Amino acid sequence: MSRFDQLFARRNTSLLLAGALLGACATRLPPAPVTAATPVAKTAPRPAAPPASAASAAASAPPVAVALPVRPSPPIVVAPLPAPAMPPAVAAHFPEPALTLPTPAFEPGRSTFTSNDELQAIIQGFTHSASIGENATDIAVWSLGNSQRGEPIEALAFTRPPAIAGAARRPGVVIVAGQHGDEPAGTEALIVVAQELASGKLATVLDRVDVVLLPRANPDGAAAFTRGAADGTDVNRDHLLLQTPEARAIAKLLVDFAPVVVLDLHEYPVTSAFTAKFGGVQRFDALLQYATVPNVAPFVTKAAEEWFRLPLVATLRSAGLSVDWYSTVSADPADRSLAMGGVGAQIGRNAGGLRNAVSLLVETRGGGLGRVGLKRRVQTQIVAVESVLASAARHAEDLVKLHQFVDRETASLACQGEVVIDAAPTPSEYATSMIDPQTGEIRRLTVAWQSALQLRTLKSRPRPCGYWLAQSEGEAVRRLRLLG
């Protein structure tokens, strides 16, 4: 019995019916084949991979331009980033690893991160160094559009020829970094992972799955070292309305490639608000969460937990890295609770889950730290990515079965039951730990906890059979197609 069959055998019928997916009538578009791209100048974006059908071609059509108020552009960061003070007792918990990281950010004397121009040169370099031979790895650049300032948003696709001529494409994994411009570790990590995929170090992964890396989804934010895009929009809160070209680029990638696994890399802020409320310093190298949004299929959630998060926790700990569930602290001084990541469909992690993919979030301890501990932060991201890729390869066949099953189950629920429109986390308590900033001691504490693992329904409605749109609503049609 396969792992999927074991998972299916333990199904809870009532839970499955209650977890019906949003947009029940949606039919998944066929994936686009990966093709090699010819390098072109920055001012002339190269074409994306050709769609497999007219349906996917329509899905890939560029949305009608939406006029957004553009705020004054922040200055470009060229000076060394200031290093915040870190008590020695705290720093002792995060020693620098003894490894060499081949990215521009780690060149001798470097005080900033890999620039957009450097990243583009690296991406272009892969198209000239692809291996050849019967079992060679095909490397292609996918152009997903341009940022608000005209910077290219490009992904690297790594594939192997099918084991049998004419066979279906392998299941896909998409890894996204750099949605927030001031969270650099994920981008640096994906440069290293791309080198590993190209060199054959991860050949056993590519024997089982195809991999697409989007190293920097928000190049404008990275250039200015700001969280948001050029107009200030938080790209990771725009995966429902798709108002920004950056969010549309990610959506286009997910429609064209139709992955069974999506991994989103971020860095969580080490804040004084946490210390003021709890008397300690945040201590975890990595915080994890999967899609926690109403209407995600329960089997998808179960696979995310059993096939991915639990092995990832074990892998990180075996590498000497600390890990916990993702949580945030409120800026309200009176609020002494921790809250897991949001439950809205506009968040990238949740949007991936609503596409019936296993969708995961990895946040390293880095927000507000500048370059402090950067090598350890990048190491943590690399370990996490390699673990997720290994899990995807291990469960490749089961992930395809799961994806197909949930797609069919979703479509069969049209016109039936209720769909959740709005939900909230469940208040509870949670035992966590932190670092005493004076002694370095690990202190245990129990906190009020807003759990996204159990959601409370705030608003629901009868599940629709479909939607009628006026002929003039072309923009809405394009966005719905980009949402899959």
Side-chain angles (χ1 to χ4, degrees):
M1 180 180 290
S2 73
R3 293 182 181 272
F4 173 77
D5 295 328
Q6 295 171 5
L7 189 70
F8 183 81
R10 298 198 298 271
R11 70 181 294 173
N12 182 319
T13 303
S14 62
L15 180 62
L16 179 61
L17 294 176
L21 284 169
L22 181 64
C25 295
T27 301
R28 181 159 302 281
L29 298 170
V34 178
T35 59
T38 302
V40 295
K42 182 185 295 186
T43 55
R46 67 183 55 80
S53 69
S56 59
S60 302
V64 175
V66 178
L68 296 174
V70 179
R71 304 171 190 173
S73 299
I76 303 299
V77 175
V78 293
L81 298 166
M86 182 179 294
V90 174
H93 287 275
F94 305 100
E96 183 175 274
L99 77 165
T100 299
L101 296 175
T103 83
F106 293 98
E107 293 173 351
R110 187 68 174 251
S111 59
T112 54
F113 308 104
T114 300
S115 70
N116 288 332
D117 287 342
E118 288 170 331
L119 178 59
Q120 189 183 18
I122 290 169
I123 290 173
Q124 295 297 330
F126 280 109
T127 64
H128 300 296
S129 61
S131 56
I132 58 175
E134 184 178 350
N135 296 317
T137 297
D138 293 328
I139 306 174
V141 177
W142 282 17
S143 176
L144 305 175
N146 293 314
S147 71
Q148 295 173 37
R149 283 182 169 168
E151 291 289 335
I153 302 175
E154 297 176 322
L156 278 168
F158 297 84
T159 64
R160 290 284 190 91
I164 301 174
R169 199 194 72 194
R170 292 176 174 86
V173 179
V174 165
I175 306 177
V176 178
Q179 287 200 68
H180 294 145
D182 57 353
E183 299 172 7
T187 297
E188 306 295 340
L190 288 193
I191 294 173
V192 177
V193 172
Q195 294 168 347
E196 294 177 342
L197 289 165
S199 69
K201 179 179 178 181
L202 300 178
T204 55
V205 169
L206 291 176
D207 284 339
R208 304 276 292 166
V209 296
D210 294 337
V211 179
V212 177
L213 308 180
L214 176 52
R216 182 167 283 161
N218 178 12
D220 297 344
F225 204 70
T226 57
R227 178 181 176 90
D231 68 347
T233 300
D234 187 331
V235 177
N236 199 35
R237 300 297 184 272
D238 187 33
H239 294 287
L240 187 60
L241 297 181
L242 302 176
Q243 293 180 304
T244 62
E246 292 84 3
R248 290 196 294 270
I250 297 172
K252 174 177 169 52
L253 172 58
L254 298 183
V255 165
D256 286 348
F257 195 60
V260 295
V261 177
V262 180
L263 175 60
D264 193 12
L265 304 180
H266 287 263
E267 297 204 79
Y268 77 89
V270 180
T271 66
S272 58
F274 185 95
T275 303
K277 293 178 183 182
F278 303 110
V281 177
Q282 289 141 302
R283 64 154 293 203
F284 296 102
D285 287 293
L287 301 178
L288 312 177
Q289 193 166 332
Y290 39 74
T292 49
V293 61
N295 311 302
V296 168
F299 282 159
V300 173
T301 299
K302 194 172 183 65
E305 169 69 7
E306 295 183 6
W307 296 352
F308 288 88
R309 193 192 72 87
L310 290 178
L312 178 51
V313 168
T315 300
L316 288 167
R317 287 176 175 166
S318 67
L321 301 165
S322 53
V323 59
D324 201 0
W325 285 104
Y326 176 61
S327 64
T328 62
V329 59
S330 167
D332 180 2
D335 182 0
R336 293 179 56 82
S337 67
L338 293 179
M340 294 186 71
V343 301
Q346 74 277 14
I347 298 171
R349 160 180 53 86
N350 291 334
L354 289 173
R355 294 173 186 265
N356 299 342
V358 171
S359 187
L360 306 154
L361 168 74
V362 173
E363 298 248 4
T364 47
R365 182 184 187 275
L369 295 183
R371 284 184 60 98
V372 171
L374 180 61
K375 184 174 286 189
R376 185 180 178 98
R377 289 150 51 188
V378 175
Q379 176 204 24
T380 304
Q381 296 276 17
I382 294 170
V383 170
V385 169
E386 291 175 344
S387 174
V388 168
L389 289 176
S391 292
R394 187 180 309 116
H395 298 285
E397 294 180 2
D398 290 333
L399 285 164
V400 172
K401 290 182 182 179
L402 174 64
H403 206 264
Q404 293 172 344
F405 168 79
V406 175
D407 277 357
R408 291 193 302 268
E409 191 76 10
T410 298
S412 72
L413 292 173
C415 308
Q416 300 182 34
E418 296 279 312
V419 62
V420 178
I421 303 300
D422 192 16
T426 299
S428 58
E429 290 188 339
Y430 185 70
T432 186
S433 58
M434 60 185 181
I435 303 172
D436 186 297
Q438 305 302 322
T439 67
E441 178 186 2
I442 299 296
R443 294 172 51 191
R444 312 290 176 181
L445 72 159
T446 299
V447 298
W449 181 260
Q450 299 294 324
S451 175
L453 302 180
Q454 300 87 31
L455 299 182
R456 297 177 290 119
T457 298
L458 301 180
K459 182 180 180 181
S460 64
R461 56 160 287 182
R463 186 181 301 278
C465 304
Y467 299 91
W468 286 102
L469 289 92
Q471 188 174 3
S472 61
E473 294 295 338
E475 172 64 9
V477 171
R478 291 187 185 96
R479 294 193 189 194
L480 288 171
R481 284 173 172 159
L482 280 174
L483 290 171

